Amino acid sequence: MLDIQELKKLGEEAGFTHVAPLDCSTIKLMPDVRQMCASNTCHMYGKNWHCPPGCGTLEECEKRVRRYHRGILVQTVGELEDSMDGEGMIETENAHKEHFFQLEEKLRTYYPQMLPIGSGACTRCTSCTYPDAPCRFPDKTFASMEAYGMLVTQVCQDNGLAYYYGPCTIAYTSCFLLD
């Protein structure tokens, strides 16, 4: 049984703005979301073990996700100077990844078989070995929610977590599938 209060405490200690319970049965993996990855807007498609196609097919991702029933959603919300504040967006994204790595390390002691699913491409290494050599840290890496085909706004909505916090804010969302 998950102790959501303890998980919230751990998440807040790691620096997340919000921590919410996740019912894994609400997760829908959508081909349309995965197709957005193929458009290569972020320039990581085919360049990282944990981005498509390296992270596996949507069917393989579905098999991994369906092993879990419960988890948590975590968010880092940042304030921006204006809607074009790229520096603020990057700062918030970097803070979110730091929080993610810190919480992942703590959660591994309680949930060694968990599935961490992050925000954006895996940045565990400065350069990925894909496709020439195996991943250097297969037990310490993550794919993004979008790489798995998740529409982040839908996952948040279906689990009672806001996604939009008003003008001049940005939210980065990740999840940990725990049991």
Side-chain angles (χ1 to χ4, degrees), residues 3 10 36 45 61 71 76 94-95 99 105 112 117 122-123 130 133 150 166 177:
D3 181 345
L10 289 172
M36 287 189 288
Y45 187 84
C61 292
T76 304
N94 289 341
H99 305 158
E105 189 174 311
I117 305 176
C122 178
T123 55
Y130 185 85
M150 294 181 209
L177 309 188

Side-chain angles (χ1 to χ4, degrees), residues 118-138:
S119 175
C122 178
T123 55
R124 182 67 72 177
C125 303
T126 53
S127 66
C128 186
T129 60
Y130 185 85
D132 302 320
C135 176
R136 293 180 192 100
F137 302 103

Side-chain angles (χ1 to χ4, degrees), residues 31-90:
D32 291 350
V33 175
R34 175 55 85 80
Q35 187 57 37
M36 287 189 288
C37 286
S39 69
N40 204 20
T41 305
C42 72
H43 309 291
M44 294 306 292
Y45 187 84
K47 296 180 181 173
N48 189 300
W49 277 111
H50 298 282
C51 288
C55 64
T57 66
L58 207 52
E59 292 76 22
E60 291 168 325
C61 292
E62 182 89 33
K63 273 184 160 175
R64 283 182 226 130
V65 167
R66 296 303 160 218
R67 290 187 213 144
Y68 299 89
H69 302 286
R70 296 173 299 173
I72 56 172
L73 287 163
V74 292
Q75 282 182 336
T76 304
V77 179
E79 299 287 330
L80 304 175
E81 290 181 23
D82 56 48
S83 63
M84 302 303 287
D85 181 8
E87 187 175 306
M89 292 175 197
I90 291 169

